[in-house]
Amino acid sequence: MELYIHFPFCRSKCRYCDFNSYAGVDAGTVFSYFSALKKEIRMASEQFGRAKVTSAYLGGGTPNLLDKEKIASVCEELRRDFDLTNLKEFTIECNPESMDEEKLETYRRCGIDRISIGVQSLDDRNLKSVGRIHDSKRAMESLRLARKFFDNVSCDVMIGLPYDDPELVRSELLTLAPQVEHMSVYQLTLEEGTPLAARVKEGRTLLPDDDEVAELMDEAIGILRGEGFERYEISNFAREGRRSVHNFGYWTREEYLGFGAGAASLVKTSDGISPLEKELRFSSPKDIHAYIGGVNCVDSFDAIPRMDFEVLGQKEIDYEEIMLGLRTADGVDKRKLQGRIPPVYMRFFKDMGDRLALNDEGMEKMNGVLTAIL
Amino acid sequence: MNKQHIRNFSIIAHIDHGKSTLADRLIERTGTVSERDMENQLLDNMDIERERGITIKLQTCRLYYTYKGEEYVLNLIDTPGHVDFTYEVSRSLAACEGALLVVDATQGVEAQTLSNVYLALENNLEILPVINKIDLASADVDAVKLEIEDIIGLDTDGCPLVSAKEGVGIDELIGQIIDKLPAPSGEEDAPLKALIFDSFYDNYKGAISMVRLMDGSVKVGDKIKMMSSGKCFEVVEVGYFSPSMRPCAKLSAGEVGYIAASIKNVGDTAVGDTVTSADNPTPHPLAGYKKATPMVYTGVFPADGAKYDDLKEALLKLQLNDASLSFEPEVSTALGFGFRCGFLGLLHMEIIEERLEREFDLDLITTAPSVSYIVTKTNGEKLTIDNPTALPPQTEIAYIEEPVVKATLFSPPDYVGPIMELCQGKRGIFVDMSYIDPTRVQIVYRIPLNEIIYDFFDSLKSRTRGYASLDYEMDGYVKSDLVRLDMMINGELCDALSIIVHRDNAYARGRGIAERLKEVIPRQLFEIPIQATIGGKIIARETVKAYRKDVLAKCYGGDITRKKKLLEKQKEGKKRMRKVGSVEVPSEAFISILKIDD
């Protein structure tokens, strides 16, 4: 199974962000959070019996904002409670502004072997306008630093930022590509209620429209392919052998446990081995205090208060396999798609023998394709 | 009641000349309704009537009034003023001996003033002109009197001058109603002979007939017979409206009232039928009326296909009280199951659609209105077609005839130019023009009905700033070079968008619809060609470009549930769309084609 651990803390909130993260949380709350987090991990271990773990991911928020000792203690907890002998990948997510050599060295020592850095853009106007607190110089510096300790480095890049144009995207990606083994290219999403959405509505920030973003995405795909990357998932690109094991597990429906506020889980077994009759999806409360309180007042993993509880039968599982599988370059088994795809929609697919995957056009119009076939 | 003390009368007028207000005043002055219960447009029961300030259904009300020491019964029948509802007017007139012709002192004689007068004359009614709104500053009583004498030929000497709004001249008016309108004739001892001039459905009492007794009498327990069907019923209640239902012991010759006889089916109390006694029938039924024939047809479909049965139920209920509404099942490849409905005119159509949506909480999609065409095929067969999709292939058509109307327009002379331009543009043929007086012109055109039902009213109002009035009557059929204009969306025929047009207008209309569809059909996964075709030949083409992307790919920390919710929400949105082949077409598209300015 896979493990995800969430650290919902940032130095400041980016304007576009509606993820579960908070700025300016006091030290006392952070302390309680870590106690609760470790308790949740321990209780999971009792429930799942030191299950074999294939990948782990420390995400956020900004995990590297926290003291290195705190991260180390969580890693120790994981090692104590789960079987990490077969761990294929152990990632930490970092933002450029709080990275230093000591922290990276600690991560390495804890067994973390992959780092994903939130570069987002190499254009300072872009970074400033969406409220990132680092600049491009700092971003490049953080990549160099990461390289000293890690031979598997990934970075996140956003497309569709206010100052983006094909030339800018091109030069950004050509600068970044040689520095990394993996890149996530996300299209900026305007989420309701975020400061950026308000600014766009007021006309204070202008974003490229959908057609322009599509152009930018085409440009990005072309460049990354030219640089030897494979688009193995709709927004993820990797050099050969460097696909993210952990993220790929989400799309192939590996079992995973998410620890921490707002973290999501997919549970298929009762004890790490015996399959459940039906599969379960659930997540923890997003609010930090609700999460802490929930974990502290119970004494078993099962009893932790959960949100968005879903029970998945075969029908729901099939639905998910298609919805998630088509995000990937490996696609979905043709038998699963039998009779679902109207003939005119075949132009969005590529035939891969006994599997069908979306082609580039299909990837960009995935929602439309999915609503037609699901 | 002595027949000499009964007066049965209607109020007729051009729309907005103050019929309903005058009716309110009569009810108030005769003390029929207590002051506490009095409200405006008292006889207009429907919300739509009150909101729009119009009368749709005829209503009756019995008023008691003491005049010169004797008590009189006045049976008032309020009637609709809009041209669509002329049939309701003619029905109520047949139940009366007299009519008040209300003319607005500021407007004078209008198109429907005239047509209503003709209806009253056809029914041999005594007409009493009444000049209303004399309180207004712009009232010109002398000029209006002159108009009434010149155009209609009625004597206006001493005619009542009233302000229904202010309650001025009402007593004088009631006096004249009694003095000038004739009392009913008829033999109380003769066999029962009663005219059904309206019927409606009451949830508790069943179908109720509103009747005017010509001869004889009827009371509870009597066996009655409907002369057209021969069906017999036992009377359980008789009464009159004042203005709510008031049961009474007996109705006699000359009176207006209602009969309830546990009749389950409104069809058994057909308007125009004669009610007689089952035991002692009259040998001669009354003449009755012509059935109101629909002039405008449209497809009505539930926006949610699952609501088909609800729509059917709702139409049946409306039909109970509105015999002029006709409907039959229709299947459209684009819109699914629905009904082809026939209406008396556009206002009637609008009102029915509004009632369906409001009273029955239905979301509807309606197709472009059509008229009824007579198609003669090359093999000599004649077909009547009210649905463009039913038109045979062009090769089988010898010729098509379309209905035309004689349209009478009244307007100040300033607008004669714009009106003629409008009529000409609508394929109208000039018939006549005459100056009624220096300020008003009467223009008569023969215009295809098919042109009237689009936006003629609106165009007329906007070109004449609301000063022109219109009345029209059916004036037969003429041969026309008509074609069916089809719309193809992504190569598939969308039957719900087909219309029948004159060949000369086909190109402009085809282009207009294609452009409009391009605006209202959202960009989709594929490029969508929109084509207007006549007999397979493409006459206009637009393209809805494909969108480039719809995906916002970030999926954080394995939160698959949120992703699924978004996808489901999107699917919900699509359900509200109509499928034409593989293209999603929003409901507005079907409505938008009605709103094309030529």
Side-chain angles (χ1 to χ4, degrees):
Chain A
M1 71 167 52
E2 304 190 336
L3 302 179
Y4 175 81
I5 302 94
H6 191 63
F7 301 93
F9 311 106
C10 281
R11 182 170 293 169
S12 88
K13 262 313 243 187
C14 303
R15 289 192 178 128
Y16 55 81
C17 176
D18 79 330
F19 305 146
N20 194 37
S21 185
Y22 307 86
V25 177
D26 64 277
T29 304
V30 174
F31 180 86
S32 312
Y33 185 76
F34 272 82
S35 316
L37 189 59
K38 282 187 257 180
K39 185 178 176 191
E40 188 187 14
I41 295 169
R42 265 197 309 279
M43 290 191 293
S45 147
E46 283 160 27
Q47 173 93 24
F48 294 96
R50 260 187 80 81
K52 279 190 169 43
V53 173
T54 49
S55 72
Y57 197 104
L58 309 182
T62 309
N64 60 312
L65 174 67
L66 301 155
D67 295 344
K68 55 188 187 296
E69 294 78 16
K70 286 209 161 61
I71 298 295
S73 71
V74 170
C75 293
E76 278 164 33
E77 188 66 56
L78 289 175
R79 208 164 288 283
R80 241 194 324 274
D81 300 334
F82 287 91
D83 177 358
L84 303 188
T85 51
N86 289 316
L87 199 63
K88 293 201 192 79
E89 183 185 283
F90 193 174
T91 304
I92 187 164
E93 201 176 4
C94 292
N95 278 319
E97 65 271 10
S98 311
M99 277 171 64
D100 61 43
E101 290 207 18
E102 281 179 38
K103 283 178 182 164
L104 295 184
E105 208 217 323
T106 307
Y107 301 157
R108 208 50 257 232
R109 226 183 33 240
C110 294
I112 297 171
D113 59 6
R114 184 171 179 271
I115 184 165
S116 171
I117 302 174
V119 171
Q120 314 309 358
S121 175
L122 290 180
D123 183 280
D124 289 344
R125 297 167 304 172
N126 269 341
L127 290 168
K128 202 155 178 259
S129 68
V130 296
R132 295 295 299 198
I133 50 177
H134 68 268
D135 60 13
S136 59
K137 196 163 149 262
R138 179 72 217 160
M140 289 309 291
E141 178 63 27
S142 68
L143 284 170
R144 262 192 304 280
L145 213 56
R147 182 57 65 198
K148 277 174 113 174
F149 299 91
F150 295 89
D151 66 355
N152 193 358
V153 178
S154 174
C155 69
D156 287 1
V157 174
M158 284 183 133
I159 293 275
L161 294 172
Y163 295 90
D164 276 355
D165 63 39
E167 203 37 58
L168 179 61
V169 168
R170 182 178 187 78
S171 85
E172 272 177 357
L173 294 184
L174 286 175
T175 307
L176 291 171
Q179 309 292 324
V180 296
E181 283 69 41
H182 181 280
M183 206 184 289
S184 298
V185 181
Y186 297 119
Q187 297 173 17
L188 174 65
T189 314
L190 263 196
E191 297 291 351
E192 232 175 283
T194 58
L196 185 65
R199 290 170 75 97
V200 168
K201 206 174 164 196
E202 289 162 17
R204 291 166 67 195
T205 301
L206 294 174
L207 295 178
D209 67 24
D210 273 8
D211 285 7
E212 290 173 83
V213 175
E215 291 290 335
L216 296 174
M217 197 65 200
D218 284 351
E219 183 75 17
I221 294 164
I223 291 162
L224 289 175
R225 288 212 175 108
E227 292 294 301
F229 286 77
E230 177 206 18
R231 187 190 201 186
Y232 72 97
E233 194 260 350
I234 187 160
S235 46
N236 284 295
F237 298 79
R239 294 189 188 280
E240 205 184 334
R242 299 292 198 164
R243 289 180 176 190
S244 164
V245 174
H246 186 84
N247 282 329
F248 207 70
Y250 292 147
W251 320 129
T252 49
R253 302 190 74 261
E254 295 299 319
E255 182 174 32
Y256 59 93
L257 298 178
F259 302 126
S265 301
L266 169 61
V267 173
K268 300 179 163 190
T269 57
S270 57
D271 52 9
I273 303 162
S274 329
L276 293 172
E277 207 169 289
K278 298 232 166 139
E279 301 182 3
L280 307 172
R281 281 192 189 278
F282 54 80
S283 56
S284 290
K286 289 198 159 147
D287 181 79
I288 296 175
H289 297 284
Y291 166 73
I292 294 169
V295 171
N296 284 345
C297 69
V298 299
D299 48 17
S300 77
F301 185 80
D302 273 352
I304 300 173
R306 303 296 188 185
M307 319 268 295
D308 295 328
F309 212 95
E310 268 192 288
V311 181
L312 311 173
Q314 194 53 49
K315 192 171 155 239
E316 290 80 18
I317 291 171
D318 288 346
Y319 180 104
E320 286 192 355
E321 277 183 12
I322 293 170
M323 165 189 155
L324 298 172
L326 287 179
R327 296 176 70 96
T328 71
D330 296 354
V332 174
D333 193 310
K334 276 182 179 167
R335 281 168 300 185
K336 294 259 177 210
L337 293 168
Q338 191 92 52
R340 283 182 182 266
I341 307 174
V344 283
Y345 282 76
M346 282 311 294
R347 58 181 280 195
F348 299 120
F349 289 85
K350 61 179 178 231
D351 198 323
M352 321 211 350
D354 51 3
R355 297 177 81 79
L356 282 177
L358 290 176
N359 57 26
D360 285 336
E361 193 191 355
M363 289 267 184
E364 286 314 296
K365 299 175 178 179
M366 192 175 68
N367 284 355
V369 175
L370 287 177
T371 46
I373 69 175
L374 280 175
Chain B
M1 175 62 65
N2 181 345
K3 281 204 302 288
Q4 290 313 309
H5 287 168
I6 296 176
R7 298 293 181 273
N8 298 316
F9 66 100
S10 283
I11 307 180
I12 55 178
H14 187 73
I15 193 160
D16 282 341
H17 279 201
K19 278 186 316 287
S20 295
T21 315
L22 185 60
D24 286 351
R25 221 46 67 217
L26 292 172
I27 291 167
E28 196 178 67
R29 186 58 53 97
T30 54
T32 306
V33 171
S34 70
E35 217 164 291
R36 188 174 57 103
D37 295 333
M38 195 64 206
E39 51 183 322
N40 287 340
Q41 278 183 268
L42 194 82
L43 296 182
D44 293 340
N45 294 326
M46 279 186 262
D47 287 345
I48 297 180
E49 291 184 316
R50 292 226 168 106
E51 268 168 39
R52 295 191 175 212
I54 56 174
T55 304
I56 298 164
K57 281 294 285 180
L58 66 86
Q59 296 287 341
T60 70
C61 186
R62 180 186 283 205
L63 315 170
Y64 289 95
Y65 191 73
T66 308
Y67 181 63
K68 290 180 183 163
E70 294 188 62
E71 188 169 73
Y72 286 84
V73 167
L74 309 177
N75 287 310
L76 158 66
I77 302 178
D78 191 17
T79 59
H82 191 276
V83 57
D84 279 6
F85 301 105
T86 302
Y87 80 106
E88 292 254 344
V89 179
S90 64
R91 275 157 44 180
S92 47
L93 294 182
C96 300
E97 281 77 38
L100 307 186
L101 175 68
V102 178
V103 182
D104 185 326
T106 68
Q107 306 280 321
V109 173
E110 294 282 1
Q112 284 157 247
T113 312
L114 218 53
S115 59
N116 282 326
V117 166
Y118 294 142
L119 281 176
L121 291 176
E122 276 172 30
N123 285 284
N124 299 317
L125 300 195
E126 185 67 34
I127 301 173
L128 176 61
V130 179
I131 297 176
N132 190 20
K133 306 195 187 178
I134 57 163
D135 58 306
L136 296 182
S138 53
D140 189 345
V141 172
D142 291 336
V144 170
K145 274 187 172 179
L146 216 61
E147 266 188 19
I148 294 173
E149 294 192 356
D150 283 357
I151 306 170
I152 306 173
L154 289 173
D155 183 11
T156 57
D157 199 23
C159 79
L161 306 177
V162 305
S163 164
K165 195 165 139 247
E166 301 296 328
V168 175
I170 303 301
D171 287 316
E172 163 72 8
L173 168 62
I174 298 174
Q176 290 210 25
I177 290 171
I178 293 166
D179 288 339
K180 294 196 176 165
L181 301 184
S185 53
E187 293 297 324
E188 190 169 343
D189 301 328
L192 174 65
K193 189 195 274 188
L195 173 71
I196 302 179
F197 63 89
D198 198 10
S199 60
F200 64 96
Y201 195 82
D202 181 286
N203 283 337
Y204 303 104
K205 296 173 183 163
I208 291 180
S209 322
M210 298 189 30
V211 293
R212 160 67 198 274
L213 273 74
M214 299 303 180
D215 284 322
S217 66
V218 62
K219 61 181 187 306
V220 174
D222 284 359
K223 287 234 163 47
I224 53 167
K225 182 163 109 176
M226 302 299 173
M227 291 189 78
S228 65
S229 64
K231 286 190 182 165
C232 294
F233 301 93
E234 189 179 314
V235 175
V236 295
E237 186 177 313
V238 296
Y240 55 90
F241 286 82
S242 187
S244 49
M245 286 168 89
R246 308 264 168 95
C248 64
K250 179 174 109 165
L251 291 174
S252 307
E255 289 189 297
V256 171
Y258 67 85
I259 300 175
S262 301
I263 300 171
K264 299 244 163 24
N265 187 348
V266 167
D268 287 334
T269 63
V271 168
D273 199 357
T274 304
V275 182
T276 189
S277 160
D279 304 326
N280 179 21
T282 175
H284 307 295
L286 295 158
Y289 322 94
K290 280 186 298 207
K291 216 177 156 217
T293 49
M295 306 237 271
V296 178
Y297 298 83
T298 177
V300 176
F301 297 84
D304 172 1
K307 295 268 175 92
Y308 173 82
D309 285 330
D310 295 357
L311 175 60
K312 184 177 177 186
E313 205 49 32
L315 283 167
L316 281 168
K317 279 195 182 142
L318 286 184
Q319 201 182 37
L320 286 181
N321 293 330
D322 183 352
S324 57
L325 168 66
S326 69
F327 61 92
E328 56 185 46
E330 179 180 2
V331 185
S332 153
T333 50
L335 299 177
F337 291 94
F339 294 93
R340 192 78 189 161
C341 298
F343 304 98
L344 298 165
L346 277 194
L347 181 70
H348 188 213
M349 176 177 103
E350 262 178 51
I351 283 165
I352 293 290
E353 284 167 11
E354 202 174 321
R355 292 184 67 187
L356 286 171
E357 296 195 328
R358 281 162 57 149
E359 294 170 29
F360 300 91
D361 200 23
L362 292 165
D363 272 337
L364 302 177
I365 300 174
T366 48
T367 59
S370 170
V371 300
S372 180
Y373 300 93
I374 298 173
V375 178
T376 304
K377 292 172 71 171
T378 42
N379 63 8
E381 192 189 340
K382 275 191 193 293
L383 304 169
T384 303
I385 279 171
D386 57 45
N387 188 343
T389 58
L391 199 69
Q394 264 181 321
T395 48
E396 292 175 23
I397 297 174
Y399 58 88
I400 304 177
E401 290 162 285
E402 64 175 330
V404 288
V405 298
K406 188 179 140 207
T408 307
L409 300 108
F410 279 63
S411 165
D414 302 5
Y415 302 112
V416 169
I419 288 175
M420 294 182 87
E421 210 179 306
L422 172 67
C423 293
Q424 225 71 42
K426 299 286 184 189
R427 301 191 282 130
I429 292 166
F430 178 83
V431 177
D432 186 30
M433 177 164 94
S434 53
Y435 277 78
I436 291 160
D437 60 38
T439 63
R440 296 158 56 67
V441 186
Q442 174 185 283
I443 307 164
V444 182
Y445 264 88
R446 250 185 130 212
I447 305 177
L449 179 61
N450 146 331
E451 299 286 348
I452 298 264
I453 62 169
Y454 274 100
D455 53 0
F456 190 84
F457 252 127
D458 292 343
S459 302
L460 180 68
K461 289 287 173 201
S462 68
R463 281 171 196 234
T464 64
R465 299 196 197 168
Y467 279 113
S469 63
L470 165 75
D471 189 61
Y472 59 84
E473 57 184 308
M474 292 302 291
D475 195 21
Y477 277 75
V478 294
K479 271 192 206 177
S480 263
D481 188 7
L482 298 168
V483 291
R484 187 176 73 206
L485 179 63
D486 291 320
M487 300 305 298
M488 313 273 281
I489 296 177
N490 201 23
E492 302 230 14
L493 174 69
C494 182
D495 57 357
L497 292 174
S498 295
I499 53 173
I500 291 174
V501 290
H502 193 268
R503 192 183 295 277
D504 293 349
N505 298 344
Y507 282 81
R509 190 152 257 154
R511 237 187 343 267
I513 295 173
E515 281 166 13
R516 183 57 72 101
L517 288 176
K518 185 189 172 185
E519 282 167 31
V520 297
I521 295 177
R523 290 167 72 190
Q524 302 183 18
L525 280 169
F526 311 93
E527 182 175 290
I528 306 161
I530 296 169
Q531 294 153 316
T533 69
I534 297 172
K537 186 176 159 240
I538 295 164
I539 60 161
R541 181 191 161 112
E542 293 285 340
T543 305
V544 179
K545 287 219 172 67
Y547 62 67
R548 292 288 310 271
K549 70 175 198 79
D550 63 9
V551 72
L552 296 161
K554 184 107 188 171
C555 189
Y556 211 75
D559 191 354
I560 308 299
T561 304
R562 179 174 169 186
K563 205 84 211 162
K564 278 198 284 191
K565 280 184 188 161
L566 285 174
L567 206 56
E568 285 308 307
K569 217 164 120 185
Q570 225 159 1
K571 276 171 83 173
E572 272 309 304
K574 282 193 169 193
K575 271 192 199 157
R576 287 195 292 273
M577 300 275 215
R578 291 293 167 158
K579 283 271 203 187
V580 176
S582 57
V583 179
E584 274 122 27
V585 180
S587 308
E588 305 93 83
F590 299 95
I591 297 152
S592 71
I593 73 158
L594 313 183
K595 295 172 184 150
I596 290 168
D597 306 320
D598 301 300

